């Protein structure tokens, strides 16, 4: 009897990503830099092209057919994003350029107007710079104090330390859901539950979780959540902020200009209703519409299926990486069922700089990231100037992992011979 192996998600979708079929330096491209940005399926690229070819017009302010179609597409994308993260209202979704802008929106609109001297902000040492720098600026302006949750021995979120930091002075907890360097999936539900007991506001940086697993903001009960479109098969230049409706209503505008107003007089203005109060000027119309297409694409596959497939890939990647002598993989070690670990591995090899490793792997057609991954404080704590990072997505395969491991071993051997 002949058994036919069931096709994986990657088998079914690879043709949707023509960029993955190319060669780099004469070698088949292996794209393992998905934590930095994802590739875009034809459905998303086609949606961009269709907008500029047929519907290009400004939104909301026109009565002609093109403007109406553009507005309908733009606002339909908001509905899709709201459903994707299970927001209670479409008005809880604000389009931004990226997650960094979304965090800055909360920092300047809520933080600058709500925090006072002595108030405390709790974040972590593993945060992306985008969830550190805005709060440093706000703390300097308001006199608030920032406290940082440290790592456990296994390089994960130290929940006991977090509990010890929470106090009556705590006004905000802002934490990454999935570390882009350590790959740990932080226990956000437990983090939020504990903060709720002290009536603390919570912001979740979900850039590395929204593209890879089902997200339910109502079940999570966060106050704000941010994500970037380019990491979830959408174009660059578009992201979103989720915020609880009542909270967003209380927050003043972040930017002033067209679209975010109700009426303008020479000496004062009144502001538009949500979500337009926070979307000043002409928005990224095509990018937002394409984000809607990306949400459709991911939803049609199923986020639960994507997450399950990536767990399998992650287990296989770690199995192969651990066969390499002296490799140091940062973050929690993988459990037997591969739960609790994102589909990325940041690692170092003794006596080989991460940038050199990445450069030579590129000559083998392998694209990985090297450096500090916008987590400089974390790398200082880890005691390394940079790490090499291989990060996967649902269109990657076991065969690519095998080829990556061969290229990695060959690269290590090359450096070993040079040092003899």
């Amino acid at each position: 009897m002949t058994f036919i192996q069931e096709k994986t998600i990657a088998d079914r979708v690879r043709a949707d990503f023509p960029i993955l079929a190319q060669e780099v330096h004469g070698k088949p491209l292996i794209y393992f830099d998905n934590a930095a940005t994802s590739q875009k399926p034809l459905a998303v690229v086609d949606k961009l092209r269709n907008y500029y070819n047929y519907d290009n017009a400004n939104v909301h302010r026109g009565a002609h057919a093109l403007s109406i179609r553009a507005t309908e597409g733009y606002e339909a994308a908001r509905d899709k994003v709201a459903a994707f993260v299970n927001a209670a209202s479409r008005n809880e979704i604000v389009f931004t350029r990226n997650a960094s802008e979304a965090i800055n929106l909360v920092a300047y609109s809520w933080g600058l107007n709500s925090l006072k001297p002595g108030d405390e902000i709790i974040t972590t040492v593993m945060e992306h710079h985008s969830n550190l720098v805005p709060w440093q600026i706000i703390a300097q302006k308001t006199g608030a104090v920032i406290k940082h949750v440290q790592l456990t021995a296994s390089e994960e979120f130290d929940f006991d330390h977090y509990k010890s930091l929470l106090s009556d002075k705590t006004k905000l907890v802002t934490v990454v859901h999935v570390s882009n360097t350590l790959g740990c999936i932080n226990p956000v539900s437990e983090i939020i539950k504990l903060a709720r007991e002290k009536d603390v506001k919570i912001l979740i940086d979900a850039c590395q979780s929204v593209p890879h697993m089902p997200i339910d903001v109502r079940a999570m009960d966060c106050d704000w959540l941010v994500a970037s479109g380019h990491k979830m098969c959408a174009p660059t230049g578009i992201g979103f902020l989720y915020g609880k409706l009542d909270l967003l209503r209380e927050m003043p505008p972040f930017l002033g200009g067209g679209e975010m107003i109700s009426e303008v007089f020479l000496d004062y203005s009144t502001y538009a209703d949500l979500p337009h109060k926070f979307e000043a000027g002409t928005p990224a119309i095509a990018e937002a519409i394409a984000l809607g297409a990306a949400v459709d694409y991911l939803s049609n596959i199923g986020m639960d299926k994507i997450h399950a497939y990536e767990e399998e890939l992650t287990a296989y990647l770690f199995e192969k990486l651990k066969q390499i002598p002296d490799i140091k993989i940062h973050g929690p070690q993988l459990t037997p069922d591969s739960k609790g670990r994102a589909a990325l591995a940041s690692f170092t090899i003794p006596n080989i700089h991460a940038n050199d490793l990445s450069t030579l792997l590129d000559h083998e057609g392998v694209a990985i990231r090297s450096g500090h991954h916008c987590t400089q404080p974390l790398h200082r704590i880890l005691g390394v100037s940079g790490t090499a990072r291989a990060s996967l997505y649902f269109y990657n395969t076991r065969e690519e992992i095998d080829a990556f491991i061969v290229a990695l071993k060959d690269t290590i051997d090359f450096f070993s011979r040079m040092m003899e």
Side-chain angles (χ1 to χ4, degrees), residues 8-301:
T8 66
I9 289 175
D11 294 330
R12 296 195 295 271
V13 306
R14 289 282 292 193
D16 295 338
F17 297 86
I19 194 171
L20 300 176
Q22 68 179 289
E23 290 189 346
V24 174
H25 302 303
K27 304 290 178 62
L29 170 65
I30 298 173
Y31 186 79
F32 281 5
D33 195 19
N34 295 285
T37 196
S38 67
Q39 297 303 335
K40 325 304 176 192
L42 288 170
V44 169
V45 178
D46 289 346
K47 188 64 72 171
L48 278 172
R49 184 184 298 111
N50 183 80
Y51 168 79
Y52 283 118
N53 284 344
Y54 302 108
D55 297 337
N56 182 37
N58 215 328
V59 293
H60 301 137
R61 294 184 287 275
H64 58 83
L66 269 62
S67 179
I68 291 170
R69 291 205 301 265
T71 301
E72 289 174 347
Y74 181 76
E75 292 301 333
R78 195 188 311 276
D79 291 327
K80 292 173 182 179
V81 172
F84 192 66
V85 298
N86 196 32
S89 166
R90 67 186 313 277
N91 294 331
E92 294 180 322
I93 301 299
V94 177
F95 286 132
T96 59
R97 286 184 304 157
N98 43 51
S100 298
E101 184 177 277
I103 294 172
N104 275 273
L105 191 163
V106 176
Y108 281 88
S109 177
W110 177 84
L112 199 58
N113 292 281
S114 301
L115 297 172
K116 59 184 186 298
D119 286 345
E120 293 180 355
I121 301 167
I122 295 178
T123 184
T124 81
V125 297
M126 70 177 74
E127 298 303 314
H128 191 282
H129 298 162
S130 294
N131 203 25
L132 290 174
V133 178
W135 301 113
Q136 291 170 352
I137 295 171
I138 296 303
Q140 290 168 0
K141 291 179 178 293
T142 63
V145 177
I146 302 175
K147 296 193 171 183
H148 303 90
V149 178
Q150 300 296 317
L151 304 179
T152 63
S154 59
E155 297 179 343
E156 296 176 87
F157 181 93
D158 189 333
F159 200 83
D160 288 336
H161 186 228
Y162 167 63
K163 287 192 291 186
S164 73
L165 293 180
L166 275 172
S167 73
D168 292 337
K169 295 181 180 180
T170 308
K171 302 303 177 186
L172 173 71
V173 172
T174 179
V175 62
V176 68
H177 191 178
V178 174
S179 168
N180 73 324
T181 298
L182 300 174
C184 54
I185 303 175
N186 289 329
V188 291
S189 294
E190 291 82 359
I191 291 169
I192 293 169
K193 182 179 179 181
L194 201 61
R196 285 279 172 248
E197 295 177 3
K198 294 186 176 294
D199 195 28
V200 173
K201 296 290 187 292
I202 302 102
L203 184 149
I204 301 297
D205 175 357
C207 284
Q208 300 293 342
S209 58
V210 166
H212 300 281
M213 62 186 71
I215 296 295
D216 185 331
V217 292
R218 279 190 275 182
M220 193 182 289
D221 194 30
C222 56
D223 292 294
W224 304 282
L225 179 140
V226 304
S228 279
H230 72 95
K231 296 182 190 296
M232 51 186 292
C233 295
T236 56
I238 189 70
F240 67 89
L241 165 70
Y242 157 80
K244 287 185 174 179
L245 199 62
D246 290 345
L247 188 53
L248 291 179
R249 284 177 175 149
E250 294 171 0
M251 291 163 55
F254 170 44
L255 298 171
E259 188 65 25
M260 51 74 65
I261 52 85
S262 176
E263 290 187 293
V264 175
F265 302 89
L266 290 180
D267 52 352
Y268 74 96
S269 299
T270 58
Y271 305 125
D273 292 332
L274 291 173
H276 305 296
K277 179 175 72 171
F278 294 112
E279 295 179 5
T282 299
I285 304 167
E287 290 81 359
I289 292 171
L291 172 59
V295 166
D296 286 341
Y297 187 86
L298 295 173
S299 298
N300 287 336
I301 296 172

